[in-house]
Amino acid sequence: MKVLTVYYSMYGHIHQMAEAVSEGAEEVKEAAVEMRRVPETLPESVLGKMGALEAQKQFAHVPVCSVEELASADAIIFGTPTRFGNMCGQMRQFLDATGQLWATGALVGKVGSVFASSATQHGGQESTILSFHITLLHQGMIVVGLPYAFQGQTRIDEITGGSPYGASTIAGGKGERMPSENELAAARYQGKHVATIAAKLFK
Ligand SMILES: Cc1cc2nc3c(=O)[nH]c(=O)nc-3n(C[C@H](O)[C@H](O)[C@H](O)COP(=O)(O)O)c2cc1C
């Protein structure tokens, strides 16, 4: 049973969350877990102006995903930073290249799940995840979130991401806040939860 964690990260927040999601999925013994980045669409000159080049070195080793690879997975867990309350353009462009997979029903019945990051606490994490689910449903995927069985999402003693829709982190206006222990625990839980469901479906 194969689980793919497919993500875009500009400054490393989603990358850290993707590692935690993958660690969680690896706890399920039937799962072979791989991490992939979606292709960059911005030129280096723009990434430089956005202050992203240094951070991106941390995950340059993660292979870039091809659209065809999606068809080989049983479960796909997508990670995206929020852009104006939606997924980022790099992820949108990647998904918009899956028309052939849609036409052949290649993703029908696979498990799909989403995690996110935004600069501000109420800056659109939930809308990013929920609007991403629309694409997964068009592809015929079985959408899985982050159940309240992960009790860390109920805590109010500290500021935290995480909702029933999926794990998330709050990056701060300058990207100065990295995922907290609670947010990473949510990501691990989601990875394990998805892999557990996929293991039952795809014995
Ligand atoms: C064009 C653009 C739009 C953004 N829109 C939002 C937004 O709507 N709400 C928000 O809280 N953060 C927004 N952000 C901040 C990003 O979500 C933040 O940089 C990201 O979550 C950090 O994750 P990463 O390091 O994995 O890229 C935006 C950033 C950019 C560059």
Side-chain angles (χ1 to χ4, degrees):
M1 190 272 290
K2 182 170 167 186
V3 179
L4 265 188
T5 307
V6 180
Y7 69 98
Y8 178 81
S9 186
M10 184 165 269
Y11 303 108
H13 302 82
I14 283 291
H15 171 67
Q16 281 198 7
M17 293 288 279
E19 286 189 319
V21 162
S22 303
E23 278 165 27
E26 275 163 7
E27 287 178 37
V28 176
K29 68 174 186 323
E30 295 90 343
V33 185
E34 290 182 23
M35 283 174 66
R36 294 284 184 274
R37 295 180 290 136
V38 301
E40 183 56 83
T41 58
L42 295 174
E44 245 185 55
S45 56
V46 174
L47 291 171
K49 283 182 188 153
M50 295 176 86
L53 288 178
E54 198 50 40
Q56 293 201 344
K57 287 182 189 160
Q58 300 165 61
F59 38 92
H61 63 281
V62 178
V64 172
C65 198
S66 71
V67 162
E68 295 72 33
E69 267 180 287
L70 298 181
S72 70
D74 298 302
I76 310 169
I77 312 175
F78 295 93
T80 177
T82 291
R83 298 282 185 262
F84 308 116
N86 276 280
M87 72 175 80
C88 65
Q90 289 85 348
M91 183 61 79
R92 185 70 265 163
Q93 180 137 332
F94 180 74
L95 294 175
D96 285 358
T98 61
Q100 192 61 26
L101 298 182
W102 171 81
T104 55
L107 303 184
V108 173
K110 295 182 188 295
V111 180
S113 195
V114 183
F115 59 100
S117 166
S118 69
T120 59
Q121 192 180 356
H122 303 292
Q125 305 192 336
E126 296 183 10
S127 59
T128 297
I129 295 173
L130 288 169
S131 55
F132 201 129
H133 287 169
I134 296 172
T135 299
L136 303 188
L137 289 166
H138 275 252
Q139 290 281 8
M141 299 182 82
I142 301 162
V143 173
V144 169
L146 176 69
Y148 274 110
F150 173 70
Q151 292 192 346
Q153 68 178 292
T154 65
R155 61 190 300 179
I156 53 170
D157 59 326
E158 66 174 44
I159 292 175
T160 187
S163 71
Y165 317 115
S168 56
T169 183
I170 303 157
K174 296 191 172 75
E176 69 277 21
R177 180 182 182 274
M178 292 314 284
S180 67
E181 266 317 307
N182 194 52
E183 292 166 344
L184 292 170
R188 276 185 220 105
Y189 192 103
Q190 187 173 351
K192 186 174 181 181
H193 182 54
V194 168
T196 302
I197 290 168
K200 287 180 190 160
L201 287 171
F202 308 105
K203 281 189 185 128

